[in-house]
Structure formats: C-alpha cells, structure tokens
Amino acid sequence: MSKRTLLIALLACLPLALPAHANDRYQSRPPVMVSPDLQASWVLQLGGVPAQTRSSLMPQRQRQIVPAGRQRVLHQPQQVLRQQPVQQQRRVVQQRRVLFPQQQPAAQQVAMRPDKPVRTQIDPQFLPQMVQYQTKQKPGTIVIDTRERFLYLVMADGMAKRYGVGVGKPGFEWAGTHKVTSKREWPDWRPPQEMIAREAAKGHFLPAHMPGGPENPLGARALYLGSTLYRIHGTNAPWSIGNGVSSGCIRMRNEDVTDLYERVKVGTRVIVI
C-alpha cells in the first residue's frame, strides 16, 4: 500500500473520531455564576469565592479608587435602608416630647421640675384630735384661730376638738363674731362678682355657677356665716389645709367638715380671731 492510500484512509476516519472525543470531554459542563457587583474584578464576579476573602483578592489600586461610602451603600442590606426613615421619625417624635413637656404625664413633669415639688398630703398636726382648751366660751361654740390655722369646737371639762383649716391669703384676713345661719350638703358655688372680676384680671375665668359635687371648690358641706360672703366649707384640695390660700373662707377637709356639720346646729356661735 502506498503512502497516499494510507493518508486517505486516515483522513476518512478522522471526522468520526473528533465528535465522539468532543462529546466525552464536555458531557457535564461546570456552571458559571456571575456576581451582581460589576465593580469588582472579573475574578470576584465569578461564583465560588467566599465573601470574607473578596476584599483580600481585590487589587489594592481598585480598593483605593472606589470610595468607602459607596462600598457601604452597595453592600448594605436593603432592609436597613428601609428602616432609616423610621429611625429618623422616632428621633423627631422624641424631639417633640422634649419641646412640649406639658403633654407628658404629671409624674414626669414633677421629675423635670425638682425645685417645685407637688404637695399631696396634709401635715399630721392638722388632723382632727381632742386637746385641752381653756376658754370662757360655752360648749358648742366654734373658735377659729386664723394665725395658728386651727378650728376649735369647744366641749365640756376644758376640752375641745381641734381641726386644721385653711384661711384667707394675705390681704383677705378677717376677724369677727357671727352665727351659723344655714347648712348645706354638697353646696352649689356662685362666686361673687368681685371675685370673678379679680380672677379675670389675672387671666382666670370663673363660672357664674357651679353645681355641687366632688369637683366643686366648696366640697362636701358648707356652714354659712350670717350675712357675710364667708363660709366654713370643705375642699377638693386637702393639701391646702394649714395655709393661707382662700379669699376669706375657712377651708376644711371633706371628712372634717362633714364631722363638724353633724355636731353643730344652725345658730351656733362662730368666733374668728
């Protein structure tokens, strides 16, 4: 056989061998994964590189060119970006709470103003008690000491029942002798015109009439003194007992004025000193 014949035979077999060899070689092709971070180098764009080693594989020159702030934005989870407006909104709400402290609870307002404590309890010395009381007045007489802030109901054998009271503030003190002309339970309140005008000048507007009840400044009971505008009455501010805070009326705790109300009658003599 000549060389030409042998060469033709080899060329005839070659097309049949090449397709079989190529199919065997690429029978299971490896998957190719491309990273969405197109700013990274082409090696980092391929899958299979751990996230912790990406920064070490990135060329030094490329790490210097890409700004640090832009890298944080690109690698920051989208959920954190959505939470930023909520956090900003919370900061605005906190600022509003500081700017408007009157909307906060009363306990927090007291904590913000330690120099102005709120008095909510009465001094124990102004609670009712039996005491020795030497006087020439007959039993059943009421004696009010505005300086000491005590009301005495005179009893027999040199004794008296003493109550703490609130009296007129500076400029509204008075003294005299009167009688209890009437008694009322849960009385209505009709402030006099002088009081309405006086408080209006201070920016406090009083109602012309307020029905009796727990919110009424006259409290649970009232003893009216003659033709004057003064009364012995209860109060919805018991912590004011022992102070000069009224416009001349004698204040008592609701419990105390109720007890006194049951002990005295219309016509009882009242001495204010």
Side-chain angles (χ1 to χ4, degrees):
M1 183 179 294
S2 63
K3 294 181 179 180
R4 183 176 181 179
T5 303
L6 182 60
L7 181 60
I8 293 173
L10 291 175
L11 292 175
C13 296
L14 183 60
L16 298 176
L18 288 175
H21 180 72
N23 291 335
D24 294 340
R25 183 178 180 181
Y26 297 100
Q27 186 174 2
S28 59
R29 299 182 180 181
V32 178
M33 301 177 61
V34 181
S35 172
D37 188 359
L38 300 179
Q39 292 189 358
S41 60
W42 68 271
V43 176
L44 299 180
Q45 293 179 16
L46 298 179
V49 181
Q52 298 179 354
T53 60
R54 291 183 181 179
S55 59
S56 60
L57 294 177
M58 183 178 294
Q60 183 69 21
R61 181 179 179 182
Q62 184 175 0
R63 283 182 291 178
Q64 295 177 358
I65 294 176
V66 180
R70 182 178 300 177
Q71 292 179 3
R72 288 194 297 268
V73 173
L74 291 175
H75 293 284
Q76 191 172 12
Q78 188 175 1
Q79 183 178 2
V80 177
L81 293 176
R82 288 196 302 265
Q83 292 179 355
Q84 288 180 357
V86 178
Q87 295 176 357
Q88 294 177 1
Q89 184 177 3
R90 291 178 180 176
R91 288 195 295 267
V92 172
V93 173
Q94 293 178 358
Q95 293 177 0
R96 289 181 180 177
R97 291 180 180 176
V98 175
L99 293 176
F100 302 99
Q102 65 274 16
Q103 298 179 357
Q104 298 182 359
Q108 297 182 4
Q109 295 183 23
V110 174
M112 295 176 60
R113 298 181 301 169
D115 56 329
K116 295 182 180 180
V118 178
R119 183 178 177 182
T120 58
Q121 297 181 355
I122 185 174
D123 193 322
Q125 67 172 328
F126 296 114
L127 296 176
Q129 53 187 299
M130 296 296 298
V131 297
Q132 293 184 351
Y133 188 68
Q134 300 297 327
T135 180
K136 298 180 179 180
Q137 304 300 328
K138 297 180 180 181
T141 304
I142 295 176
V143 180
I144 301 175
D145 189 337
T146 57
R147 178 173 298 181
E148 298 296 331
R149 317 292 169 76
F150 291 124
L151 182 151
Y152 297 90
L153 177 59
V154 181
M155 296 185 174
D157 301 329
M159 301 295 292
K161 187 164 187 179
R162 189 183 74 182
Y163 306 87
V165 295
V167 299
K169 54 190 173 183
F172 292 87
E173 305 95 338
W174 64 280
T177 301
H178 298 280
K179 291 184 179 181
V180 176
T181 54
S182 63
K183 301 164 52 180
R184 295 181 184 175
E185 298 182 5
W186 296 106
D188 294 352
W189 183 43
R190 291 179 173 84
Q193 294 298 325
E194 297 82 358
M195 179 183 294
I196 294 177
R198 183 172 59 250
E199 295 298 325
K202 301 177 182 179
H204 305 153
F205 299 97
L206 301 179
H209 171 261
M210 179 180 290
E215 301 298 328
N216 194 300
L218 298 186
R221 303 289 187 272
L223 307 175
Y224 294 84
L225 304 179
S227 59
T228 69
L229 299 176
Y230 304 124
R231 295 157 293 233
I232 302 173
H233 62 79
T235 179
N236 52 17
W239 53 86
S240 64
I241 301 302
N243 297 279
V245 292
S246 72
S247 297
C249 289
I250 306 302
R251 294 184 179 183
M252 302 179 68
R253 296 192 314 161
N254 284 333
E255 302 92 324
D256 299 343
V257 74
T258 301
D259 180 73
L260 181 66
Y261 184 93
E262 300 296 334
R263 293 176 181 271
V264 302
K265 300 179 180 180
V266 173
T268 298
R269 191 180 187 194
V270 179
I271 302 173
V272 180
I273 58 176

